[in-house]
């Protein structure tokens, strides 16, 4: 099939650790979709009030804010743009909230630009599954709003346990990701470096160069 060219916000280099029938282009596309969906979910939960994304839920699964469960249920990334921009709402109150969110949540601005830049069409990329976000200590984040307040994210570190299937018309086949990602804050910056500790894609081991995520 002929795939559309996608302008990625974050360019990820993925390498298969063994010979298999999976196309590297599909793996890269699917992993970027997973990243885009996760970044948008975090951004949506850093606004006040929170933005509801189609098929997405984020819940605190611990009593000390150390573990969160992010769930996707047929979450079509093409629908995220409308939700993040609040295009469906036209009341004066909704417009006021939209303006406030854009002003006080730079994560939302970046996420919106990112998802728009990917130019997803309906059914191109759909996420199903769960991702667990685990912090090692209470000093990490007291709330998602801390991401906007802190000027240095070096104290932030976390683990992501991934169990997600990415499917859609832009791919030859559905790809199931199972594994662990590690994030570590970069000193002096509002960003984290994300790297693969271990990851399987349709039961084939893959590696990825570390990437930097965050705000300028």
């Amino acid at each position: 099939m002929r795939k559309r060219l996608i302008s990625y916000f974050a360019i990820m280099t993925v390498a298969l650790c063994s010979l298999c029938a999976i196309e590297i282009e599909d793996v890269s596309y699917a992993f970027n979709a997973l990243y885009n969906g996760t970044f948008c979910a975090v951004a949506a939960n850093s606004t006040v009030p929170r933005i509801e994304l189609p098929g997405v839920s984020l819940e605190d699964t611990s009593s000390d804010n150390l573990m969160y469960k992010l769930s996707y249920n047929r979450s079509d990334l093409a629908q995220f743009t409308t939700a993040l921009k609040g295009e469906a709402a036209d009341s004066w109150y909704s417009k006021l909230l939209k303006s406030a969110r854009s002003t006080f949540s730079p994560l939302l601005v970046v996420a919106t630009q990112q998802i728009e830049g990917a130019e997803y069409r309906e059914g191109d990329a759909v996420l199903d599954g769960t991702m667990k976000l685990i912090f090692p200590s209470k000093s990490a984040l007291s709330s998602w709003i801390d991401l906007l307040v802190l000027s240095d994210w070096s104290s932030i570190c976390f683990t992501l346990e991934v169990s997600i299937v990415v499917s859609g018309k832009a791919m030859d086949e559905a790809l199931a990701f199972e594994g662990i990602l590690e994030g570590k804050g970069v000193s002096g910056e509002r960003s984290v470096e994300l790297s693969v500790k271990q990851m399987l894609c349709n039961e084939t081991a893959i590696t990825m160069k570390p990437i930097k995520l965050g705000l300028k």
Side-chain angles (χ1 to χ4, degrees), residues 39 42-43 45-46 104-107 133 135 140-153 156 158 189-192 214-215:
F39 194 94
V42 172
N45 278 273
S46 70
F104 297 110
S105 180
L107 278 180
L133 174 60
F135 293 104
L141 296 173
S142 60
S143 74
W144 294 107
I145 305 300
D146 286 354
L147 291 173
L148 312 179
V149 177
L150 296 175
S151 59
D152 186 333
W153 290 4
I156 298 176
F158 57 85
E189 299 181 12
R190 289 198 294 173
S191 61
V192 296
L215 302 172

Side-chain angles (χ1 to χ4, degrees), residues 133-185:
L133 174 60
I134 304 170
F135 293 104
S137 66
K138 294 183 179 180
S139 62
L141 296 173
S142 60
S143 74
W144 294 107
I145 305 300
D146 286 354
L147 291 173
L148 312 179
V149 177
L150 296 175
S151 59
D152 186 333
W153 290 4
S154 59
S155 62
I156 298 176
C157 59
F158 57 85
T159 299
L160 289 172
E161 295 182 355
V162 179
S163 180
I164 292 179
V165 175
V166 184
S167 59
K169 296 184 295 185
M171 301 160 52
D172 287 335
E173 63 177 317
L175 298 179
F177 292 93
E178 298 279 347
I180 299 175
L181 302 173
E182 293 183 332
K184 185 176 181 180

Side-chain angles (χ1 to χ4, degrees), residues 170-213:
M171 301 160 52
D172 287 335
E173 63 177 317
L175 298 179
F177 292 93
E178 298 279 347
I180 299 175
L181 302 173
E182 293 183 332
K184 185 176 181 180
V186 179
S187 179
E189 299 181 12
R190 289 198 294 173
S191 61
V192 296
E193 186 174 82
L194 190 65
S195 59
V196 169
K197 183 176 182 180
Q198 60 187 58
M199 185 65 63
L200 296 178
C201 178
N202 285 10
E203 301 184 347
T204 298
I206 66 172
T207 61
M208 182 188 75
K209 289 183 179 180
I211 58 172
K212 187 182 294 186
L213 316 174

Side-chain angles (χ1 to χ4, degrees), residues 7-212:
S7 175
Y8 293 120
F9 175 79
I11 299 177
M12 299 183 178
T13 302
V14 178
L16 302 183
C17 294
S18 61
L19 295 177
C20 62
I22 305 175
E23 291 189 17
I24 293 180
E25 184 181 356
D26 277 351
V27 177
S28 297
Y29 181 93
F31 207 96
N32 273 277
L34 190 158
Y35 159 69
N36 286 338
T38 302
F39 194 94
C40 287
V42 172
N45 278 273
S46 70
T47 64
V48 179
R50 294 182 179 182
I51 296 175
E52 297 294 331
L53 296 180
V56 178
S57 65
L58 180 66
E59 56 181 315
D60 186 349
T61 58
S62 66
S63 59
D64 47 13
N65 297 322
L66 296 183
M67 183 182 297
Y68 296 84
K69 181 180 179 182
L70 178 61
S71 301
Y72 299 97
N73 181 18
R74 304 303 298 165
S75 300
D76 192 328
L77 296 189
Q79 300 174 1
F80 282 19
T81 301
T82 300
L84 291 176
K85 295 178 68 175
E87 293 175 348
D90 55 6
S91 69
W92 69 269
Y93 181 67
S94 297
K95 291 179 180 179
L96 180 62
L97 286 179
K98 176 182 175 181
S99 176
R101 285 167 172 163
S102 298
T103 301
F104 297 110
S105 180
L107 278 180
L108 178 61
V109 175
V110 174
T112 303
Q113 293 173 345
Q114 176 181 318
I115 204 73
E116 285 185 312
E119 298 180 350
Y120 293 113
R121 293 180 295 189
E122 196 78 19
D124 273 354
V126 179
L127 306 184
D128 286 284
T130 61
M131 181 181 294
K132 292 182 179 179
L133 174 60
I134 304 170
F135 293 104
S137 66
K138 294 183 179 180
S139 62
L141 296 173
S142 60
S143 74
W144 294 107
I145 305 300
D146 286 354
L147 291 173
L148 312 179
V149 177
L150 296 175
S151 59
D152 186 333
W153 290 4
S154 59
S155 62
I156 298 176
C157 59
F158 57 85
T159 299
L160 289 172
E161 295 182 355
V162 179
S163 180
I164 292 179
V165 175
V166 184
S167 59
K169 296 184 295 185
M171 301 160 52
D172 287 335
E173 63 177 317
L175 298 179
F177 292 93
E178 298 279 347
I180 299 175
L181 302 173
E182 293 183 332
K184 185 176 181 180
V186 179
S187 179
E189 299 181 12
R190 289 198 294 173
S191 61
V192 296
E193 186 174 82
L194 190 65
S195 59
V196 169
K197 183 176 182 180
Q198 60 187 58
M199 185 65 63
L200 296 178
C201 178
N202 285 10
E203 301 184 347
T204 298
I206 66 172
T207 61
M208 182 188 75
K209 289 183 179 180
I211 58 172
K212 187 182 294 186

